[in-house]
Amino acid sequence: MIRLALVCGSLLLWRSDFNSAHAEAAVLKPDDFAHHYERFNACDNEQVVNEIPNADSWLWMVDQAPLFECPSTRLEEMYYFRWWTYRKHMKRTPVGMVLTEFILPVSHAGDYNTVSCAFGHQVAEGRWLHDQTFLDDYTLFWLRSGPGGGPAEHFHKFSSWAAVALYDRYLVTLDRSFLVSILEDLVADYRTWEGERQRDDGLFWQHDVKDGMEESISGGRRVKNIRPTINSYMVANALAISRIADLAGKSELSQEFAKKSEELRTLLNEQLWDKDSQFFKVVLENGEFSTAREAIGFIPWMFDLAEPEHAEAWAQLIDPAGFRGPWGLTTAERRHPEFRTHGTGTCEWDGAVWPFATSQTLNGLANLLRGAPQSFVTKRDFFDQLMLYAEAQQQDGMAYIGEYYDEQTGDWLITGPKAERSRFYNHSTFNDLIISGLVGIVPRDDNFIEIDPLIPKDVWDWFCLDGVQYHGQTLTVFWDRNGARYHRGKGLVILADGQEIGRSPSLGPLTAKLP
């Protein structure tokens, strides 16, 4: 089929010969979504070309990523835009495939323009692609490309939740052999962090900048504060290592790291919880709490570490004096006197909206909503913030993702020549929030598929996520309130390799056994 499209003032010739290429899709037709890529390609000067050029971007998407449609044209567009930008960062090197964070070279990067700070986000997003060999390469690059076959020299330049990100990837792929093969690397990584950053009391400290969060209200680039970030990451990493050790049949190692995880979790909940502010906070070098609530206080929920009595912290998410800004979730509470006082353009985390933080917070919110009952936030809050996050990812009428933006206007805050490096910034998740959050695929390690949508019941009459590779099978999840959209009956439906395995008349939790 030859199709002509007028996009961005230019005539684009699109050749589509792949109508049957996406055989995994049981409901949706790939050609129905090609217009998104036509527009993205036509409006891009393709300043940098890595493994997959723009000309091949749609064919790559059809071959590698699940299809998605929903009533929100903005959300759907951003879903495809984020895959389009993600593949821009896939780079072939002499040591295999890697992912970059910035599309242009940056001074703080290591070999091949790689930056370890984004690794957890990149694995979370990429675990839903069909061919996972590029993430195997990328993982081994970080763990074994350095001196003597050890970690890359700049791996420990930033805090990391690498072990738990890789374990969560396993819950999608069930590739036990690869995960077990890197167990000793992950153990060595954890012990390195203990040597570098653990205090005598068992908690971990970190410079703000090495959390990837410069110029914050609570700290600075050189102070050694105890932060909810690195401590949450280390609790989760230890638990992930314990579970991987179980898979490897190493019970003593599993018990050792389970103990580390539980002891540090106890310290996190006891020492970093400010009872007066009802929030997880930074503890300063002098032992006092920071005066500011910051978005990093939501990170414990990203890994299910907080206790039910801590849920009151989430009241701040929807409070306009807290974190709810006109254009998204701020990185510090808006009521604080130092909110947005650090200037602009030097990576400030004093209140502006960072997709990095938004994706972490929404992950935490998803876990909270699927946990113990609480009265502070609802599925509507998750839905509204995800929609606002999608709406913000634009510039001059075009889809755009950068580093951070103004909470009042939505304007991106890296401007001028430096903005060229920020385009296509690969340091947040979006599609994972749709797949595991909104649509609600909750990965697990048994022979069941669990769906727990975070879509308010009165919002959408239909949506479909099609061609999801999960546990070696191809899944389709769709909701059709009236049966008129997909003509396969009413309700929430799960297909495995095209065959129905689960159905519910309502938009709520649904679990089915895989064939």
Side-chain angles (χ1 to χ4, degrees):
M1 178 180 71
I2 301 292
R3 180 164 53 200
L4 297 177
L6 186 63
V7 187
C8 284
S10 62
L11 192 64
L12 176 69
L13 183 65
W14 175 264
R15 184 175 186 87
S16 176
D17 296 321
F18 56 82
N19 291 314
S20 63
H22 202 279
E24 299 91 342
V27 174
L28 302 179
K29 297 178 180 179
D31 255 7
D32 291 342
F33 309 99
H35 63 281
H36 293 300
Y37 279 57
E38 293 173 357
R39 186 166 190 239
F40 303 153
N41 286 347
C43 298
D44 179 36
N45 62 11
E46 201 166 12
Q47 187 175 5
V48 173
V49 179
N50 284 318
E51 176 71 3
I52 303 153
N54 284 358
D56 295 335
S57 60
W58 176 241
L59 295 177
W60 172 84
M61 162 67 207
V62 169
D63 187 58
Q64 290 297 316
L67 299 171
F68 173 68
E69 76 163 5
C70 69
S72 168
T73 55
R74 172 63 68 183
L75 196 71
E76 182 180 300
E77 177 190 37
M78 291 314 306
Y79 175 83
Y80 291 103
F81 177 71
R82 290 299 295 259
W83 286 134
W84 183 80
T85 60
Y86 189 93
R87 58 86 210 171
K88 276 182 171 286
H89 293 274
M90 298 171 72
K91 186 173 185 176
R92 188 170 298 280
T93 76
V95 294
M97 294 288 290
V98 301
L99 288 166
T100 59
E101 177 181 357
F102 294 91
I103 201 69
L104 295 178
V106 292
S107 60
H108 62 276
D111 293 342
Y112 316 116
N113 200 33
T114 54
V115 180
S116 63
C117 193
F119 182 73
H121 293 286
Q122 293 166 345
V123 171
E125 200 89 331
R127 64 182 172 155
W128 300 107
L129 294 172
H130 296 172
D131 184 353
Q132 289 287 302
T133 55
F134 82 99
L135 278 181
D136 291 349
D137 282 359
Y138 188 39
T139 300
L140 294 177
F141 163 77
W142 284 120
L143 296 179
R144 297 182 182 172
S145 70
E153 291 185 290
H154 55 300
F155 189 38
H156 282 262
K157 192 169 185 177
F158 294 98
S159 304
S160 172
W161 61 99
V164 67
L166 291 165
Y167 182 79
D168 287 347
R169 176 194 176 216
Y170 158 78
L171 295 179
V172 174
T173 67
L174 282 194
D175 186 353
R176 175 184 173 278
S177 61
F178 179 79
L179 193 64
V180 167
S181 75
I182 59 172
L183 172 59
E184 295 305 320
D185 304 275
L186 296 174
V187 169
D189 172 65
Y190 195 96
R191 298 198 196 285
T192 298
W193 280 111
E194 288 180 313
E196 290 180 352
R197 292 290 190 269
Q198 193 168 32
R199 295 159 35 112
D200 290 341
D201 62 4
L203 290 164
F204 287 79
W205 64 269
Q206 184 59 291
H207 303 297
D208 294 21
V209 66
K210 294 192 175 181
D211 263 343
M213 301 175 173
E214 309 88 318
E215 308 297 339
S216 71
I217 293 175
S218 64
R221 294 174 181 258
R222 294 178 177 83
V223 294
K224 300 178 179 181
N225 289 335
I226 308 171
R227 294 168 57 80
T229 46
I230 190 170
N231 285 282
S232 296
Y233 303 159
M234 298 308 292
V235 175
N237 283 336
L239 183 57
I241 290 170
S242 174
R243 289 171 174 168
I244 299 167
D246 271 338
L247 293 174
K250 297 188 175 184
S251 59
E252 289 186 9
L253 186 64
S254 176
Q255 292 169 12
E256 176 192 353
F257 274 84
K259 182 180 179 182
K260 288 178 183 289
S261 179
E262 188 55 39
E263 288 177 349
L264 183 56
R265 178 181 178 177
T266 298
L267 289 172
L268 169 71
N269 284 318
E270 290 180 352
Q271 302 301 317
L272 273 67
W273 178 254
D274 182 353
K275 294 179 181 178
D276 293 335
S277 296
Q278 291 291 291
F279 211 78
F280 285 102
K281 281 186 174 182
V282 168
V283 175
L284 307 175
E285 288 183 305
N286 63 9
E288 297 178 358
F289 283 115
S290 165
T291 59
R293 296 183 185 92
E294 297 169 299
I296 57 175
F298 293 120
I299 287 179
W301 281 273
M302 183 179 172
F303 306 106
D304 277 326
L305 305 180
E307 300 294 343
E309 59 265 27
H310 297 143
E312 186 175 345
W314 289 89
Q316 298 297 325
L317 188 86
I318 57 176
D319 186 343
F323 295 89
R324 195 185 79 189
W327 274 94
L329 298 174
T330 59
T331 47
E333 59 181 333
R334 301 177 71 198
R335 65 172 66 82
H336 196 277
E338 293 181 53
F339 180 83
R340 295 298 307 274
T341 60
H342 288 62
T344 300
T346 56
C347 297
E348 305 81 21
W349 283 73
D350 60 346
V353 182
W354 283 79
F356 172 179
T358 297
S359 53
Q360 287 189 317
T361 301
L362 290 179
N363 266 298
L365 179 55
N367 286 334
L368 177 80
L369 293 170
R370 291 174 178 145
Q374 46 77 39
S375 59
F376 303 102
V377 283
T378 66
K379 290 182 180 180
R380 171 68 70 169
D381 297 309
F382 179 92
F383 182 85
D384 288 348
Q385 287 301 326
L386 183 62
M387 296 296 288
L388 188 56
Y389 182 27
E391 191 66 31
Q393 293 178 64
Q394 60 175 304
Q395 187 176 68
D396 299 326
M398 280 299 302
Y400 180 91
I401 181 65
E403 292 183 63
Y404 67 127
Y405 58 89
D406 188 284
E407 79 288 348
Q408 291 281 1
T409 66
D411 293 338
W412 294 89
L413 294 175
I414 300 293
T415 59
K418 192 177 178 181
E420 285 303 304
R421 81 164 201 179
S422 292
R423 293 178 67 214
F424 317 123
Y425 189 48
N426 190 23
H427 197 156
S428 61
T429 56
F430 184 80
N431 291 343
D432 180 63
L433 290 169
I434 289 177
I435 296 170
S436 69
L438 193 69
V439 173
I441 295 179
V442 182
R444 45 197 285 175
D445 63 355
D446 58 15
N447 197 38
F448 287 83
I449 174 65
E450 178 182 347
I451 307 296
D452 192 355
L454 297 180
I455 303 167
K457 293 182 179 181
D458 61 342
V459 173
W460 286 350
D461 288 337
W462 52 268
F463 69 81
C464 182
L465 179 69
D466 206 351
V468 179
Q469 294 294 310
Y470 180 80
H471 290 203
Q473 300 187 50
T474 303
L475 301 184
T476 304
V477 180
F478 69 84
W479 161 248
D480 195 342
R481 189 187 305 274
N482 303 313
R485 180 74 180 184
Y486 303 116
H487 307 289
R488 293 170 179 253
K490 301 177 182 179
L492 180 65
V493 180
I494 307 172
L495 309 178
D497 294 332
Q499 301 301 309
E500 183 175 322
I501 61 170
R503 181 184 292 266
S504 171
S506 61
L507 187 59
L510 175 62
T511 301
K513 188 174 183 179
L514 293 168

